[in-house]
Amino acid sequence: MAEFMDVHNHMQGLSAADLTAAHAADLAIQGEENVEFKKAWADPVSGKVFCLSEGPSAEAVQRVHERAGHLADEIYAVPLVV
Amino acid sequence: MAEFMDVHNHMQGLSAADLTAAHAADLAIQGEENVEFKKAWADPVSGKVFCLSEGPSAEAVQRVHERAGHLADEIYAVPLVV
């Protein structure tokens, strides 16, 4: 298992309820890919959303996001944490 | 106070020790700007580093990073967290 940070670049105008709903959609199916979405931070002005997850691969993380209806624009393995 | 996620784009080859040292340099002076760096995640392959902080403004966050010798390439206020 590894940690990943993925980035969505076009979520301008996202509300707290939108973020909660999007996160819930990930949580509902993440187990099928052995992924755990841990946290997400959003800036509705720039449209950036950063999602922290743990899983077997970037592809598995993306499959959860894709099936939940919000494909990530970028995904990075983040093996170093401080 | 607000939460911020800042991004460094050119930290290719960063080691765990490099990240620890860079973070320590931020922590050493952050109090002067009323900023608290909470966590950082790094991908030495792509060179991306994501730093989560709390502070009075993006400018204050950037001043800490600048004085510590590692200017952020992007800084986003992240008022929504889930």
Side-chain angles (χ1 to χ4, degrees):
Chain A
M1 286 296 178
E3 273 205 314
F4 298 91
M5 185 74 82
D6 70 72
V7 185
H8 304 257
N9 292 324
H10 307 290
M11 295 287 188
Q12 287 85 353
L14 191 80
S15 70
D18 294 336
L19 182 64
T20 299
H23 189 58
D26 289 326
L27 298 188
I29 59 172
Q30 66 182 9
E32 297 167 31
E33 295 285 353
N34 293 313
V35 169
E36 183 195 350
F37 280 95
K38 298 175 156 185
K39 200 105 181 168
W41 298 265
D43 173 12
V45 177
S46 68
K48 287 270 182 179
V49 180
F50 302 90
C51 301
L52 181 68
S53 65
E54 193 169 334
S57 67
E59 291 71 21
V61 171
Q62 186 66 294
R63 279 194 295 271
V64 176
H65 269 347
E66 181 170 25
R67 289 178 50 204
H70 44 253
L71 212 60
D73 296 302
E74 310 164 33
I75 303 184
Y76 304 97
V78 284
L80 306 183
V81 181
V82 70
Chain B
M1 288 295 178
E3 273 205 315
F4 298 90
M5 185 74 82
D6 69 72
V7 186
H8 304 258
N9 292 325
H10 307 291
M11 297 286 189
Q12 287 85 354
L14 191 80
S15 70
D18 294 335
L19 182 64
T20 299
H23 189 57
D26 288 327
L27 298 188
I29 59 172
Q30 65 183 9
E32 296 167 32
E33 295 285 354
N34 292 314
V35 168
E36 182 194 351
F37 280 95
K38 298 174 157 186
K39 200 105 183 168
W41 298 266
D43 173 12
V45 177
S46 68
K48 287 270 182 179
V49 179
F50 302 90
C51 300
L52 181 68
S53 66
E54 194 169 332
S57 67
E59 291 72 20
V61 171
Q62 185 66 295
R63 279 194 296 270
V64 176
H65 268 348
E66 181 169 27
R67 290 178 51 204
H70 44 253
L71 212 60
D73 296 301
E74 309 165 34
I75 303 184
Y76 304 97
V78 284
L80 305 182
V81 181
V82 70

